[in-house]
């Protein structure tokens, strides 16, 4: 079995230093961390979730969502059986928050072989929370990239700075959730920290990795327009006004039973964010805000209908009409 990393020996046991949760394992007792994929057994760190995949399917890359990274491609998607947050509104709680989730063990070599079959552009670590799967991704990603594939992370952004820096060396694109502009929200609903996510966004924006952000709007919880203005300003100032933002519609699920986000709220949020960011999309609902428009000349560069993607308005990742750079990665 692969040697675990990101564990520190303490006088009274072990501490995991992969994510801000900082699970401790006093006295070397047999125990799992909150994420269920890392722990201590027989006095030593161990990785019960290594290579244990909860799901495996080839999805449109737009479903991650990534709109400016290899648009129109399909990507093999998988994830570990756990998460380091406990969001009340988790849409995948049956695989992220439950014990005994059925899994299939796929070693890195085999996964790298599978993921470039059937037209996949690479691999997306998604569905649950990939950052807790550090060792497996560190072993698999280089094999995928050696074969010309892309490595995508769809994450909550709750990871400590040092492992994050290492992740940027062997991953290519990230979609990170920015769940709220309030530390109180993160604490009450997710047992997470906004400050950590903001640090992650800054690091990724400054790195070689492509970055997109998702904001799920929940009625009565994170729908204050003054918060949206501050969030949009922060994203423009710290990640760049060309940062891609996906505004997503909430539907009730798991422990939170608010009504679905009204369409007017999504349209209002689109207007607020679009005044500060060049590429704002609305997802989980049928609107006209799914196409990529050129911020310079207004031409439609990518047209999307459901999962169908037409890139006729692009030329080598730039606007075909005026040549403006849209920050689109169209090949590796
Ligand atoms: S990665 Fe898992 S074990 Fe490590 S600190 Fe986070 S929740 Fe705990």
């Amino acid at each position: 079995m692969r040697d675990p990393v990101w564990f520190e020996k303490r006088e009274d046991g072990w501490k995991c230093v992969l994510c801000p949760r900082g699970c401790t394992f006093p006295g070397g007792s047999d125990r799992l961390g909150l994420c269920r994929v890392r722990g201590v057994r027989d006095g030593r760190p161990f990785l019960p979730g290594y290579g244990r995949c909860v799901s495996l399917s080839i999805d449109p890359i737009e479903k991650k969502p990534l709109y400016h990274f290899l648009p129109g491609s399909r990507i093999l998607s998988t994830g570990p059986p756990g998460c380091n947050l406990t969001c009340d509104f988790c849409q995948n709680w049956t695989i992220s928050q439950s014990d005994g989730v059925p899994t299939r063990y796929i070693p890195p070599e085999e996964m790298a072989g599978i993921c470039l079959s059937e037209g996949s552009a690479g691999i997306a670590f998604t569905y649950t929370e990939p950052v807790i799967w550090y060792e497996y991704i560190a072993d698999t990603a280089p094999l995928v990239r050696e074969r010309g594939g892309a490595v995508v992370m769809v994450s909550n952004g709750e990871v400590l700075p040092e492992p994050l820096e290492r992740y940027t060396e062997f991953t290519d694109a990230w979609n990170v959730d920015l769940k709220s502009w309030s530390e109180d929200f993160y604490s009450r609903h997710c047992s997470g920290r906004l400050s950590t996510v903001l640090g992650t966004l800054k690091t990724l924006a400054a790195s070689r990795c492509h970055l997109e952000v998702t904001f799920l709007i929940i009625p009565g919880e994170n729908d204050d327009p003054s918060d949206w203005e501050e969030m949009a300003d922060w994203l423009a100032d710290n990640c760049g006004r060309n940062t891609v933002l996906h505004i997503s519609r909430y539907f009730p699920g798991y422990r939170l039973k608010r009504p679905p986000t009204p369409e007017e709220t999504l349209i209002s949020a689109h207007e607020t964010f679009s005044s500060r960011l060049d590429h704002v999309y609305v997802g989980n609902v049928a609107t006209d805000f799914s196409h990529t428009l050129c911020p310079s000349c207004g031409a439609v560069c990518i047209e999307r209908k459901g999962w169908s993607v037409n890139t006729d308005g692009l030329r080598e990742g730039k606007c075909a009409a005026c040549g403006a750079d849209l920050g689109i990665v169209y090949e590796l």
Side-chain angles (χ1 to χ4, degrees), residues 6-7 15-25 32-39 83-85 131-133 158:
W6 307 114
F7 280 93
K15 179 176 182 179
C16 176
V17 292
L18 177 53
C19 95
R21 170 76 49 179
C23 296
T24 54
F25 306 92
L32 291 177
L34 176 100
C35 64
R36 297 183 181 82
V37 303
R38 307 169 64 77
C83 183
N84 57 349
L85 293 186
V131 297
I132 59 177
W133 231 11
E158 296 278 354

Side-chain angles (χ1 to χ4, degrees), residues 57-62 64 69-77 115-124 307:
S57 64
I58 297 185
D59 295 334
I61 204 160
E62 282 75 17
K64 301 303 101 192
F69 186 79
L70 307 179
S73 63
R74 292 161 61 76
I75 194 156
L76 187 95
S77 304
C115 82
L116 291 172
S117 63
E118 300 186 38
S120 168
I123 189 163
W307 300 124

